[in-house]
Amino acid sequence: MSTIAERMAAAGAGAAIELRGVTRLFGALAALTDITLSVRPGERRAVLGSNGAGKTTLLNCVTGDFPPTSGTVRFFGEDVTILPPHERIRRGLRRTYQISLLFQRLTVRENVYLACRGVSRGRFSFLRTRAGEAIMQSVADLIALVHLENVADRLVGELAHGQQRQLEIALALAGAPRFILFDEPAAGLSPTERGDLVAILTALPSHIGYIIIEHDMDVALRVVESVTMMHNGRIFKEGAPAEIETDPEVQRLYLGGGHG
Amino acid sequence: MALTETSTPSIAAPRGGALSRWVSRHAAILLLGLILVLLPAVANEFLLDQIVGWSLALGMIALSLMFLAGYGGMVSLAQMTIAGVAGYMVAVLGASSLPTISLFWPWWVATPLAIAIAVVFGTLSGALSARTEGIYTIMITLAIAAAFFYLTLQNWPIFNGFNGFTTIPAPHFWGVNWRAPVPLYYLILFFAASSYGAVVYISRAPFGLALQGVRDNPRRMEAIGYNVAAHRVAAHAFAALIAAIGGVLLVWLNNQISPFSISFERVIDVLVIAVVGGLGHPIGAFVGAIIYVILRTFALDALLAVGLDGRRFQTIIGLGFLLIVLFSPDGVIGLWRRWSARLRANGGSRRL
Ligand SMILES: Nc1ncnc2c1ncn2[C@@H]1O[C@H](COP(=O)(O)OP(=O)(O)O)[C@@H](O)[C@H]1O
Ligand SMILES: [Mg+2]
């Protein structure tokens, strides 16, 4: 028994994200069944699968939005299975949401500011931030990165859908991320904005790894080095993008299936 | 959002040399402040303490609710109760007409301790409700308010039952008799203005902005690194401080406290004041309070004058509440905002 435990620990030691036997139930429905997954630091991985395959639930288990029903989640070797989400974020994890979760009654700048402040000190500070402070420069840089400068001082509730998706991405890049989870970031973006997204992803420093859930294969396979295929809450195939594209089972279940 | 646009435009504090811009941007509130400071020169004692002073002290308690509800999305019905805890403790620890209960400790021990006890009470009730949302927060805080009301009503050794306490004067220090009408007015004005300024300032500081983030999307706040529950509890503690000071001032003003100062009616009054004034800006709490105080003071006589039953003034307050909530969910200041937005050409964006 101890040798197995040791080998498991050794295998997990080098991973950025390490899931072991993760199962997540919603009532009687198993959204995830016995998922074991390991992603290296700096690795860029796509998770593909039809609607309801469990992709978003997988991310929710990694961030702690919905903890797993059973199994363990490790982040850079540390067992974070029962850690609240904010503790994982402070350790360098980031995520975007498939359906934008933004602060509608605050401005774009305030949204980005909150994201930057959330991963720095002074979250409870009663003192206002001065215009010259470094954090305001980081905020401006992130806004520029997603091309939202000209709406920076508009309320988020007034933004177009595509702009909200851009902001969604900016919030996940605040501070010094070590690993980012993107949940269908290209959904709702125009072709130009998709190009911008690919540019942002490829320009990320190489030590920052990510998992991206993406239906648009043009986006997904251009920005990753490995692919995990999911179906009915299980992983059924892992490999390089080229292998996945030509795999007959993948063709049948996913690529040829006329998915939404 | 006229008021926030003009008075709170930036996360970043204004840089030096911007004093004149600051003054012009805050012209309305500075003018109001000046009028309030000069008021004792022209107003009689009744207007000073029973109208304006009462409005300001009551406004502080409504302000504490505005802070929680407007910025934090947490409708707490325990704010009047927290004020009541502070008021009762001032009577118990300090002086009153009941030597068998009151400890007659010096004011500089009794008052800060009373406020501290109320803040602890408010923080604990905040902790109880921090993991709930919406209607559940309302129910839990209402239960707390009910529990304290019945405690004071039925407990004689500490709270003196339904009689409560009378003759709880403001202290005498720095050579000033603070129970005299004009000093008491300035004492209330000082704390009301300070708490108003503090709330306005903090609303643009990290703590206040994060609270607004918690209001808009608690789940996302967790996902960008905030401990949402801790933030909520801290907001309750800060709001409790304002409510507690307001509660002490109210007791000094009325010179008495009893279970009927913190009954369901009074608890709901605070909610009505905050909502009628408007939860969108701290000034709404004071706008609501002055409307409430004027109605309570004059509606009875006005009704009698036109030949109606004076007791109908509660009906008038109720109808007014209904009209405001129906036609302007963001209260009187919401009406004001829409009216002034119509006067200005462009109302869309907020400069930062
Ligand atoms: N919060 C939830 N409550 C109940 N069922 C859920 C919840 N989230 C997801 N599910 C179910 O779990 C399954 C997987 O969902 P999801 O992870 O969102 O799939 P995907 O992101 O791959 O489309 C679906 O059947 C979905 O209905
Ligand atoms: Mg999904």
Side-chain angles (χ1 to χ4, degrees):
Chain A
M1 285 305 279
S2 73
T3 49
I4 293 172
E6 276 164 27
R7 252 188 288 147
M8 283 173 74
I17 307 271
E18 173 85 9
L19 273 68
R20 271 188 198 284
V22 167
T23 295
R24 171 70 210 201
L25 306 175
F26 290 109
L29 174 88
L32 295 177
T33 307
D34 194 26
I35 296 282
T36 293
L37 177 77
S38 175
V39 185
R40 285 178 286 108
E43 183 177 342
R44 280 113 198 251
R45 166 91 55 115
V47 173
L48 305 180
S50 51
N51 275 327
K55 307 181 296 296
T56 297
T57 305
L58 180 76
L59 299 198
N60 283 332
C61 284
V62 174
T63 57
D65 283 55
F66 296 115
T69 309
S70 62
T72 59
V73 180
R74 288 177 178 274
F75 185 61
F76 285 90
E78 181 186 4
D79 187 342
V80 298
T81 312
I82 56 161
L83 222 52
H86 66 264
E87 289 289 352
R88 309 184 194 203
I89 301 306
R90 292 177 196 179
R91 283 159 171 75
L93 185 64
R94 300 285 185 277
R95 81 169 289 182
T96 72
Y97 287 87
Q98 182 176 355
I99 296 161
S100 300
L101 288 184
L102 302 167
F103 310 109
Q104 298 285 329
R105 288 161 69 186
L106 298 178
T107 66
V108 170
R109 197 186 304 280
E110 289 161 350
N111 271 257
V112 177
Y113 173 84
L114 281 181
C116 291
R117 179 57 71 193
V119 289
S120 66
R121 290 195 293 167
R123 282 175 286 258
F124 283 89
S125 175
F126 276 38
L127 293 180
R128 289 187 183 180
T129 305
R130 308 206 137 268
E133 283 180 42
I135 190 171
M136 297 314 289
Q137 190 56 49
S138 318
V139 171
D141 291 345
L142 276 173
I143 292 172
L145 185 69
V146 293
H147 307 292
L148 290 177
E149 298 102 318
N150 51 0
V151 290
D153 298 311
R154 306 275 305 234
L155 296 180
V156 167
E158 300 169 355
L159 297 190
H161 180 68
Q163 291 173 319
Q164 298 205 10
R165 296 302 296 160
Q166 301 273 71
L167 178 58
E168 183 67 39
I169 293 160
L171 295 192
L173 300 177
R178 291 205 284 171
F179 201 94
I180 312 176
L181 310 171
F182 294 101
D183 197 348
E184 304 199 22
L189 295 187
S190 70
T192 324
E193 289 167 336
R194 281 172 191 239
D196 292 341
L197 173 66
V198 171
I200 289 172
L201 293 179
T202 43
L204 282 175
S206 62
H207 72 274
I208 302 178
Y210 56 75
I211 290 176
I212 181 168
I213 297 174
E214 188 48 67
H215 281 303
D216 183 339
M217 298 296 254
D218 291 337
V219 173
L221 298 182
R222 270 162 72 194
V223 296
V224 300
E225 62 209 77
S226 57
V227 180
T228 294
M229 299 292 307
M230 288 184 68
H231 190 68
N232 278 341
R234 293 177 188 272
I235 292 174
F236 75 89
K237 177 119 188 114
E238 290 190 316
E243 283 173 60
I244 296 294
E245 268 180 307
T246 54
D247 185 273
E249 197 181 3
V250 174
Q251 296 279 348
R252 180 177 63 80
L253 269 172
Y254 184 61
L255 297 177
H259 59 85
Chain B
M1 305 192 87
L3 275 166
T4 39
E5 264 169 52
T6 49
S7 59
T8 60
S10 176
I11 296 172
R15 274 184 252 188
L19 184 67
S20 66
R21 254 196 309 139
W22 187 87
V23 168
S24 71
R25 203 190 294 143
H26 297 78
I29 196 75
L30 290 175
L31 183 67
L32 178 65
L34 191 68
I35 292 172
L36 288 173
V37 168
L38 298 178
L39 195 62
V42 291
N44 61 20
E45 283 176 21
F46 172 75
L47 179 64
L48 215 51
D49 285 338
Q50 293 313 313
I51 301 293
V52 183
W54 188 20
S55 300
L56 291 174
L58 205 53
M60 285 178 68
I61 299 169
L63 177 67
S64 79
L65 171 57
M66 178 277 151
F67 181 77
L68 290 175
Y71 293 134
M74 299 175 282
V75 179
S76 163
L77 294 184
Q79 298 314 108
M80 192 68 207
T81 306
I82 293 162
V85 170
Y88 264 108
M89 285 303 117
V90 157
V92 170
L93 303 174
S96 82
S97 61
L98 281 174
T100 49
I101 296 179
S102 289
L103 300 172
F104 290 89
W105 290 350
W107 72 269
W108 47 268
V109 179
T111 311
L113 194 57
I115 290 169
I117 290 170
V119 168
V120 170
F121 178 86
T123 310
L124 289 178
S125 45
L128 269 180
S129 65
R131 286 178 199 282
T132 64
E133 309 230 327
I135 192 87
Y136 299 102
T137 309
I138 297 178
M139 292 312 294
I140 287 182
T141 51
L142 183 62
I144 291 166
F148 187 66
F149 168 67
Y150 287 115
L151 175 68
T152 58
L153 197 62
Q154 289 159 4
N155 176 290
W156 292 83
I158 297 174
F159 295 102
N160 200 35
F162 66 76
N163 288 336
F165 296 81
T166 55
T167 325
I168 314 154
H172 196 130
F173 61 93
W174 294 344
V176 180
N177 178 14
W178 295 99
R179 71 197 67 165
V182 172
L184 183 59
Y185 169 78
Y186 277 120
L187 191 68
I188 295 173
L189 179 58
F190 171 78
F191 281 106
S194 304
S195 43
Y196 170 80
V199 169
V200 168
Y201 181 84
I202 287 168
S203 72
R204 314 303 302 161
F207 178 68
L209 280 168
L211 194 59
Q212 293 166 71
V214 168
R215 170 198 67 198
D216 281 5
N217 204 325
R219 184 173 169 198
R220 187 53 179 263
M221 283 301 278
E222 278 283 336
I224 56 175
Y226 294 85
N227 184 342
V228 168
H231 229 93
R232 285 181 170 150
V233 174
H236 277 282
F238 176 71
L241 178 63
I242 294 176
I245 297 172
V248 171
L249 294 171
L250 216 48
V251 164
W252 284 345
L253 186 68
N254 297 332
N255 211 16
Q256 64 92 27
I257 186 165
S258 75
F260 307 102
S261 319
I262 54 159
S263 65
F264 287 104
E265 240 178 277
R266 298 290 89 80
V267 164
I268 298 301
D269 284 348
V270 172
L271 179 67
V272 170
I273 288 169
V275 172
V276 164
L279 295 172
H281 190 275
I283 200 69
F286 296 99
V287 172
I290 190 92
I291 293 173
Y292 172 86
V293 167
I294 286 173
L295 274 179
R296 284 227 32 179
T297 311
F298 299 111
L300 196 138
D301 289 334
L303 286 171
L304 289 177
V306 296
L308 289 168
D309 187 339
R311 285 168 297 182
R312 291 279 154 76
F313 85 92
Q314 289 286 20
T315 317
I316 295 206
I317 292 181
L319 279 176
F321 183 60
L322 198 65
L323 286 176
I324 286 282
V325 173
L326 275 179
F327 293 106
S328 180
D330 40 4
V332 173
I333 61 164
L335 285 177
W336 161 261
R337 274 176 182 167
R338 276 190 290 280
W339 178 71
S340 60
R342 218 171 290 160
L343 296 182
R344 281 177 306 115
N346 188 356
S349 75
R350 171 156 51 155
R351 207 183 63 79
L352 223 105

